[in-house]
Every structure is written in C-alpha cells, then in structure tokens.
Amino acid sequence: MYRTALRNVLAHKGRLLMTALAVMLGTAFVAGTMVFSDTFGKAMRDSNSKSYSDVSVQVVDRAAGSGASARQKSESGSAAITDATVQQLAALPGTANARGVVSGFTGVADKKGNLIGQFWAAKGANFAPGQDGKDPRYPMAEGQGPKNGKEIALDRKTADKAGYKVGDTVRVAANGPVVEAKLTGIFTTDDPVVSTGGTLTLFDRATAQGLLLEPGRYSGVVLTAKPGTSEDALLDQARPKVPSGNQFDVETGAKLKADEQEMITKGTDSMRTMLLVFAFIALFVGIFIIANTFTMLVAQRTKELALLRAIGASRKQVTRSVLVEALLIGTVSAVAGLAAGVGIGAGMQSLIGTLNENMPSGALVIKPLTVVVTLVVGVVVTVLSALLPALRAARIAPVAAMSSGDQPASQKSLVVRNTIGSLLAAGGLALIGYGASTGDTSGRLPVGLGAFLALIGVFVLLPLLSRPVVALLGPLLRGLGGTPGKLAQQNAVRNPRRTAATAAALTIGLTLVSGLTVIGASVSDVVDRAVTSSMKADYIVSAANSMSLAEQVPAQIAKAPGVVASSPMTAAYWELDGTTKSIAGLDAATFDQLVDVELTSGSTAALGKGQLLVDADVAKKFNVTTGSTMTVSYPDDSKGQLTVGGVYKTGGMLGPVVLANSEIAKHEPKPYISDVLVKGKDGATDTLKQSLKDATGANPVIEVKSKQDVRDDFSQTITFALNLMYGLLGMAVLIAILGVVNTLAMSVFERKREIGMLRAIGLDRRGIKRMVRLESVVISLFGAGVGLALGCFIAWAINGTLKSSLAGLTTVLPYGQLAMFLALAGAVGLVAAIWPARRASKLDILSSIKTD
C-alpha cells in the first residue's frame, strides 16, 4: 500500500502541483515571518545595546519630560536634579565620571522651513565636554561643540539630509519661539534616536536647560564606575544622594540594557504574532484547496480503490495510503516553503532597509525553532486536510464502486451537514448581533467568537447555497455565453460540494478584505465629521509634537494679516459632580465664528455668561438640562457651581464639555493650549496660511492645517493601514486563486469524455474555453459575494462595539470599493481559467470519448 501511495503521488504530480504550491506558500509565509522577526529583533538589540556602553548607573527624573511640565512641577515644589546633585554623585568613591543629562523635544527646520523627519523622533540634548573640550558621547566629525546660546551641533545624518555645513545658520524650536543658531559642529553617535532616523540637536548646558527644562535642572545623570567598582556597588552608593520622590528612577546600566532588550523583544514578538495571524489565514485557505484536491483524486480513483478493497486491502490500509500521499506532499512542500521563507525573510529585511535607511540590519537569523515549526505546520496541515477525503475513500463499497464512478452523497449525510451548518451559522450570527448591541468593548469577544462560528457555518452551508445562487445567474450566463454559458451553470451546480470548497477560499479572503474596508470607511467618516463638521474655522494651528503651544502663539496669530477671528483651544480636566471630565475652552466672543454646534437646547451666548455647554451624553448621564447646576472641583482644591447654558449633539471636535477660556483661566493660569482656530477674511487661502506661518516665526514645530489637510492626513493613515492589511492578505488570495486553477484543471480531467462528446456534436474549441471560463467566473463571484455579505455584517457588528469610544460612529458601506472587489473576483476567475480552458480546448475528441 505504501508503494502504491508513492506511485500515485508520482502519477498525479501534475494534478497535485497546485496543492503543493498552496502548502509551500503558506509555510513560506510562516518561515519568512519567523526569520524576519528574529533577524530584525537581533539587529535592533545589537544596535540599542551600544547606547549603554558608558553607563554604569543612570538616574532619571521622569517629571522632566517637557519644558512646560518641568516648570509646572518645579513651581509646585517638586524635587529636581540640580548641579549640586551631579556634584554629590561625582564625589562618590566609586564614580569615575558623572555627566548631567538634559534632553527634550527639539525640532530642526530644513532650508525651506519645514520640520526634518518626524516629530516623535526629534530630540535635543546638552553637550557635556570634559577637560579636553570633547564629549565622548558625541564625537565631532567636523567643527566643535556649542559653547553659548547662539551655537548648536547636529548629528551627521540630519546635517546631510538638510544640506547643512559648519557655519550655516539653522532654525530650531522646542516648545517656545524659534532659535536661530550657528552650526558649529557635526557629530557622530550611536544614540537610538539617530540610528532609527531621528534628529539630535546639541546645545551648551545652560541653553539646553533653559529651552528644554529650566535653568539649573537636569533630566538625569549618567555615572561611570571606577575600575574595580561594580555597577551594583555604585548603585548602592548613588541611591542616598538622589532627591527623594517617586519621580526618580535609579538603575544600573546592565538593568537598563536588559529592560531595553526585553522591550525590543516584546515589540518584535507582537509584530511576529500579527504576521503569523495572516500566515495562518493563508494556511487556513490552503486547507480547503488540499481537502478539495484529495476529494477529487479519491473520486477519480474510485474504481482503483475499490479494486484494492476487492483484493484484500482493509479500510485502514486505504486510509493510510491516502494519508501517506498527503504526508509526502506536505513534507516536500514544507521543505520548499522553508527555503522560500528564508528568501522572504531576507526580502523583508531588505525592504525595511529601503523604506528607512536608518533601520539596523544584520545577518539572517535562522533558528532551529523556525525550521521545526515550518516543517511541522506544513506536514500537519496537509495531513489533517486530507484526513476527511481519506476516511471517505475507506468507506467506498468495493462492488458499488467498481460498478459506477459516481458516488453521490446520501440524503442522510446532506441533512446532517445542513443541520450542523445552520446551527453554527445561526449561533454565530446571534452572538454577533448580541456583541454589536452592547455598544462597548464588552461585545468584542462575542463578536469575535460569533464571526468564527458564522464563518464555519457558512462554509458548511455553501453547497446548499450554491444551487439557488448559481441558478439566479443562469439567464445572465445564457445571455453572455449562449450554450457554453448554460453548460457552465450546469457544471457549477453539478457538484455543489466541489463548487463550495473552491469558492470557500475566496470567501475567506473577501470576508476579511471587505470587513476591513467597511471598518476603515466608517472610522474615517466619523473622524472626518468629528474634526471638520463642527469647524467653521479655516485653519487649525497646532504643535506637531502634540505638546501645548507656547503662551505667545495665540496673540501672534490674532495679529496676523488676513485674520478676522481666532481663539486658542485649551484643555482642562475638572471634576463635575464627582466625575473627572475633559473641558474644552474657547473664547466666547469668537465662538460662533469658529465653531458650529447643533444645540438641542440653550444658546452659545451662555459661554459669555460663564456657563457650561455639555453634549447629550453628559446631559443624560448626569441628568442635567439647560438651567441645571453642576458642582465643580477645581485643580486649586476650591469648589464652585456652574450653570448648564446649553446642550448640544454628541460628536464633533469639542468633546463633552465646553467653557469660556476666561473662566478656565481663573483656576488654571497656564492652561494647556492644544490648538488655535483661525477664520480668515477670504477663507482658506495660501496667502493666509503663509501669513500664519510667518506670524509664528516660521516655526518648524508649528503646523497650519486646513479642513482638507486634516482630512488628508487622517485618510492617509487609514489608507496606509488598509494597504498593509491588503498586502498581508495577498498571500491568502493568491492561494485561493491556485485553488480555483487546481479545481478547474482536475475537473477538466474528470470530464474528458463529456468534453469530447460536446466537441463531437459541434461545440468548437472557442465554446469549450468559454464554458470553462464562465464556470470559473461563476464560482469566483459566488465565493466573493458570500464573503462580501459576511464581511459587511461583521464590520457592522465591530463598529457597534466601537461606539463607546467613537461617538457618532455609523457603518458606512463604500459601494464603489465593494463593487470593485466583486469585479476583481470575476477577473480572478477569468485569469484562473486560462490554463484549464486552454487544456480543455486541446483535448483530442476521439481519445476523450474513449476515456474510461
């Protein structure tokens, strides 16, 4: 029986090619993901480990995160790291060197005034020279380090990117006004900010403290131990000298390095998990192809298997022979997939380097675990997929099988199958509906479980669904293809299980693709409405790093030419009736010119009277209406009463509560300024935009955006995320296409006699090709249609669970994109049918008719 199984594999290698390719592609995705994540993780760990090469002990003040917060902490009497702290740590018996560190956000402008790089990777620090005038942390490749407030140094990559040379004037900004300074030095560094594509600007110590923190204050201290002093010993000496307070972290260099390595490992593990999810989706699609292939092979070898039973082979032997075939195919395909996966891993590493030249790279890492997992997954998936066809093969009655090659499913098996499918689908849909009705995150688990059950239920019911759905396409097929179209319809419904198994692969892909598209369109719609529907202002001015704008910015903007109305948009967090709420502040005088709110009661004029405007959700939760009062607990520990002056519809850019800036300023002298809203005399014009930029000193950190700019920024984010998901699902769709090709090719082999008869009675080669192509299109459209419907329903349910975090979220169906997906599925059917149709048209008439 084993020799027979081997001969069958060799005899049917052409028919098994697509199955082997499906397994190979799925396992290649798994292997490539593991190779890439291991390689990338090791390169990141090796790169970041250099950051602590001179650190024995590090003291960090977590409160010194930004200039504004640092000053506020200091004014409230919080402890800080000062020159005295650095001197005390330097005087420790085990300290060889103590370096005070100042760091914070610093944006660098290019020669056109635009921010270089991304705001989240823009850093400023202090140049800390030793007695020789050099800072070993930042060795100068050209020039020298900064010595006063009019000098800076830049890292080599930033200087090259902007075309700066020593002696040039460079514009930089932290959280305040723009600083124009002379570039005195260009340095090299292994700082992770620079090695990952960020910018690093060095100031002299006093300037760095003034811009990034406050005079005399440090973000932290780095200690280097003397020879013979361990890091732990130095740590014990340093702790008593650190100011008291929970804001200070004191750790050894080894611990910091270990923590960094662990963080990188967690990050790469998360990335690998995400990629493996899509790899297993591809393998899940492959299961249908493998099972379908072996089902058809068993059907084609019915008489052969019956003969084996008749001459003494037991059911177990027949089952084993089919499983041995699957084992051989799975092993060969998994080995090929492993080799291809190494190539995919190398390609992904190269792609990352192309997209970001600053990303660290290294030699490929191929762990034994990768090899074992890839081989085991490939073999197990193939064998399990072939198990059901193998069991069916063993049940074939020898006499019945030898008398006829057609073994239709029994009525009982169909009833059982359809009952199970109906129960699974109904249960899954019920769970999805329940999860959506919760309206919050508690519904995500029911929706996820329900989606899985519904998907399995639909797969089981696909044969039942295929007959009526394909029958509806009959008139269209006859109109498009005439007799070949009618034959294509009949072929598609002749074996509904085969049609369903082929379509199922496309159903999975289209369910995921359509679901992601609908969710993306819905989220994009609600954010667009939230940001722009209530905005009358022509421009929003904000800090690129999401920090508070400097105090002088609103006044600068108000004086800009072309501005007719403006208002800073501040943010405060106060307790209203015992619950902390976010409060948006705007100037009462210009509110109606800049913002459009849909009031259900009250008036916006209430803001000028010091009253609150609340949204419908707050009004409902606290049971308040226009004229009600709410108890307020202010940050200065005082309490008061505020009257509700109006209720507006939930959603929009304002948030849950609005109050006049003048009222907020009474209890928060330096409120957080998130944005400035601006209305222009002539609307949103390029002239006004440039005027606003000039008014803020062409600050590279400050962004001026119109409504359309805000829409475009967000749509780019959504589009990028969707394109990434589409790319990751591409492997599953490719495997689904292979499944259609495989099924059609094997179906042509099965129907050789039928095709020969059709040719003999007058159907030409063109008609045969048309028949096969239309059959492929019907199967593809059937699978895609079911996937689109299921994907849209699941997306609606997921949107239901997001309503608590995205007020005003509604399900938006992007009909154009969904129609395009359906059209692409039809095109996939046409492409998949090219080879099978060509093969069918070239069959010899006489030899086909004589086929047994």
Side-chain angles (χ1 to χ4, degrees):
M1 291 301 292
Y2 294 135
R3 285 197 299 271
T4 301
L6 179 59
R7 282 198 297 270
N8 281 327
V9 171
L10 297 176
H12 301 134
K13 52 183 176 291
R15 280 178 262 172
L16 292 169
L17 175 62
M18 296 299 174
T19 301
L21 279 174
V23 178
M24 187 199 77
L25 289 174
T27 52
F29 200 164
V30 173
T33 293
M34 297 183 74
V35 169
F36 169 68
S37 58
D38 289 338
T39 302
F40 184 69
K42 184 176 185 301
M44 286 290 290
R45 288 191 293 272
D46 290 346
S47 174
N48 281 271
S49 65
K50 299 174 184 176
S51 305
Y52 301 102
S53 56
D54 64 336
V55 179
S56 299
V57 171
Q58 180 171 281
V59 181
V60 175
D61 180 359
R62 285 182 279 104
S66 66
S69 64
R71 276 184 280 274
Q72 289 166 4
K73 294 278 185 181
S74 179
E75 288 165 6
S76 65
S78 177
I81 298 175
T82 62
D83 285 323
T85 310
V86 176
Q87 291 168 7
Q88 289 176 349
L89 292 171
L92 293 174
T95 300
N97 181 54
R99 174 164 54 93
V101 176
V102 182
S103 65
F105 169 81
T106 302
V108 183
D110 60 18
K111 293 184 177 180
K112 294 181 180 179
N114 298 318
L115 181 69
I116 300 175
Q118 301 297 324
F119 68 86
W120 43 264
K123 177 183 172 184
N126 62 311
F127 181 67
Q131 306 232 343
D132 57 358
K134 297 179 181 179
D135 186 342
R137 188 77 178 86
Y138 306 110
M140 292 293 158
E142 296 179 33
Q144 61 184 13
K147 295 181 179 179
N148 56 57
K150 293 295 182 180
E151 296 179 350
I152 63 165
L154 290 176
D155 66 273
R156 165 66 73 187
K157 291 181 179 178
T158 300
D160 290 346
K161 193 181 297 182
Y164 286 131
K165 297 178 181 178
V166 171
D168 288 349
T169 298
V170 181
R171 297 168 63 82
V172 298
N175 194 44
V178 174
V179 174
E180 291 191 350
K182 180 180 178 181
L183 181 63
T184 61
I186 297 174
F187 59 91
T188 58
T189 179
D190 56 12
D191 192 295
V193 170
V194 176
S195 62
T196 53
T199 62
L200 180 57
T201 307
L202 295 183
F203 305 92
D204 70 287
R205 177 184 55 78
T207 303
Q209 289 175 332
L211 285 175
L212 307 179
L213 298 174
E214 62 179 2
R217 185 172 185 180
Y218 294 92
S219 308
V221 184
V222 171
L223 304 180
T224 304
K226 289 180 179 178
T229 301
S230 68
E231 292 186 355
D232 289 333
L234 183 57
L235 178 69
D236 292 337
Q237 294 176 20
R239 275 202 174 114
K241 303 298 181 181
V242 175
S244 59
N246 295 328
Q247 70 196 60
F248 299 100
D249 292 329
V250 188
E251 298 289 356
T252 64
K255 178 67 165 55
L256 292 169
K257 181 178 178 180
D259 290 345
E260 188 87 13
Q261 304 279 40
E262 184 181 357
M263 185 176 68
I264 293 171
T265 299
K266 286 181 179 178
T268 53
D269 285 349
S270 298
M271 176 184 64
R272 173 161 58 183
T273 300
M274 183 192 73
L275 292 174
L276 284 176
V277 166
F278 287 92
F280 283 109
I281 288 172
L283 283 169
F284 186 58
V285 171
I287 288 173
F288 292 93
I289 296 171
I290 300 165
N292 204 19
T293 301
F294 277 94
T295 298
M296 295 176 74
L297 284 175
V298 167
Q300 291 171 11
R301 289 161 45 201
T302 298
K303 290 188 176 181
E304 174 192 329
L305 294 172
L307 182 59
L308 289 172
R309 291 290 313 281
I311 62 176
S314 66
R315 287 188 174 187
K316 286 184 178 180
Q317 286 178 307
V318 172
T319 301
R320 286 175 190 159
S321 69
V322 177
L323 292 179
V324 167
E325 291 181 49
L327 179 64
L328 292 172
I329 295 166
T331 302
V332 172
S333 303
V335 171
L338 177 61
V342 173
I344 290 174
M348 292 173 74
Q349 181 79 350
S350 176
L351 177 64
I352 289 291
T354 302
L355 295 175
N356 188 342
E357 62 183 12
N358 299 298
M359 281 296 175
S361 60
L364 284 180
V365 178
I366 306 171
K367 293 183 178 180
L369 179 64
T370 301
V371 176
V372 172
V373 167
T374 303
L375 295 179
V376 169
V377 166
V379 171
V380 169
V381 166
T382 309
V383 172
L384 287 179
S385 302
L387 182 59
L388 191 56
L391 294 174
R392 286 177 184 163
R395 294 195 188 105
I396 296 174
V399 175
M402 293 177 73
S403 63
S404 171
D406 186 17
Q407 298 294 314
S410 67
Q411 187 66 29
K412 179 181 178 182
S413 69
L414 291 176
V415 171
V416 171
R417 178 191 181 107
N418 293 336
T419 301
I420 293 173
S422 299
L423 290 173
L424 287 173
L429 294 176
L431 277 173
I432 292 173
Y434 167 73
S437 68
T438 61
D440 55 34
T441 55
S442 65
R444 291 178 186 175
L445 181 59
V447 168
L449 179 59
F452 178 75
L453 292 176
L455 200 59
I456 299 300
V458 168
F459 289 158
V460 176
L461 289 174
L462 279 179
L464 180 66
L465 297 172
S466 65
R467 287 185 181 274
V469 173
V470 175
L472 288 174
L473 297 174
L476 178 62
L477 291 173
R478 286 192 291 272
L480 291 174
T483 300
K486 181 179 180 180
L487 292 170
Q489 180 209 0
Q490 292 173 348
N491 289 333
V493 299
R494 178 187 301 176
N495 192 330
R497 282 190 174 182
R498 181 182 304 167
T499 298
T502 307
L506 282 170
T507 298
I508 298 171
L510 266 296
T511 297
L512 296 171
V513 167
S514 59
L516 288 170
T517 302
V518 171
I519 292 171
S522 302
V523 173
S524 183
D525 172 73
V526 71
V527 172
D528 178 58
R529 285 188 285 110
V531 173
T532 61
S533 64
S534 57
M535 175 181 163
K536 284 185 181 178
D538 296 313
Y539 285 101
I540 298 179
V541 182
S542 56
N545 58 354
S546 299
M547 291 170 61
S548 175
L549 289 168
E551 297 172 11
Q552 68 270 27
V553 170
Q556 292 172 340
I557 289 172
K559 296 175 183 176
V563 175
V564 296
S566 68
S567 169
M569 190 170 180
T570 60
Y573 292 88
W574 295 351
E575 280 192 11
L576 296 178
D577 285 352
T579 303
T580 301
K581 281 290 176 184
S582 169
I583 299 177
L586 286 161
D587 289 347
T590 57
F591 183 86
D592 289 330
Q593 294 175 271
L594 301 170
V595 178
D596 183 18
V597 293
E598 192 173 349
L599 290 168
T600 58
S601 65
S603 168
T604 57
L607 287 175
K609 303 173 184 177
Q611 296 178 353
L612 291 168
L613 297 182
V614 299
D615 70 11
D617 286 348
V618 171
K620 181 180 179 182
K621 180 178 179 181
F622 292 93
N623 193 27
V624 295
T625 59
T626 299
S628 301
T629 58
M630 301 184 76
T631 302
V632 187
S633 296
Y634 299 109
D636 54 11
D637 295 331
S638 63
K639 293 184 182 292
Q641 298 283 327
L642 285 176
T643 302
V644 176
V647 179
Y648 56 90
K649 284 193 174 180
T650 302
M653 62 185 294
L654 296 178
V657 183
V658 182
L659 188 62
N661 277 327
S662 56
E663 292 299 313
I664 292 178
K666 291 177 181 178
H667 302 278
E668 302 223 14
K670 294 182 179 179
Y672 177 90
I673 305 173
S674 59
D675 309 281
V676 178
L677 303 183
V678 180
K679 187 76 174 174
K681 180 175 64 176
D682 300 316
T685 63
D686 291 338
T687 302
L688 177 59
K689 187 172 185 177
Q690 189 60 50
S691 174
L692 295 174
K693 285 186 174 180
D694 293 341
T696 57
N699 193 321
V701 176
I702 293 179
E703 295 180 328
V704 180
K705 294 182 179 181
S706 65
K707 287 185 183 181
Q708 193 56 48
D709 292 334
V710 175
R711 288 191 186 104
D712 291 344
D713 284 352
F714 187 78
S715 64
Q716 285 176 2
T717 304
I718 291 288
T719 301
F720 175 78
L722 287 177
N723 288 339
L724 177 62
M725 295 298 180
Y726 294 156
L728 294 172
L729 288 171
M731 188 71 77
V733 175
L734 176 60
I735 292 174
I737 295 172
L738 292 177
V740 177
V741 175
N742 201 25
T743 300
L744 290 174
M746 298 182 75
S747 177
V748 166
F749 179 84
E750 276 188 341
R751 304 201 310 256
K752 285 176 68 176
R753 176 182 288 182
E754 174 191 321
I755 292 171
M757 291 295 293
L758 289 172
R759 290 291 313 282
I761 62 175
L763 191 62
D764 60 10
R765 290 187 174 184
R766 184 177 295 177
I768 294 293
K769 286 183 179 180
R770 189 179 302 160
M771 177 187 73
V772 175
R773 287 170 184 161
L774 288 175
E775 180 184 351
S776 176
V777 170
V778 167
I779 293 173
S780 299
L781 289 177
F782 169 61
V786 173
L788 284 176
L790 190 57
C792 291
F793 182 68
I794 293 172
W796 165 80
I798 292 174
N799 284 340
T801 67
L802 295 173
K803 286 184 177 179
S804 61
S805 51
L806 284 174
L809 178 66
T810 57
T811 299
V812 176
L813 297 178
Y815 294 105
Q817 285 179 277
L818 297 178
M820 181 187 69
F821 293 151
L822 203 58
L824 287 174
V828 162
L830 279 177
V831 172
I834 292 175
W835 177 57
R838 183 180 178 85
R839 183 182 178 189
S841 67
K842 288 188 174 183
L843 290 175
D844 182 80
I845 297 175
L846 293 178
S847 61
S848 297
I849 293 173
K850 291 190 296 181
T851 300
D852 186 11

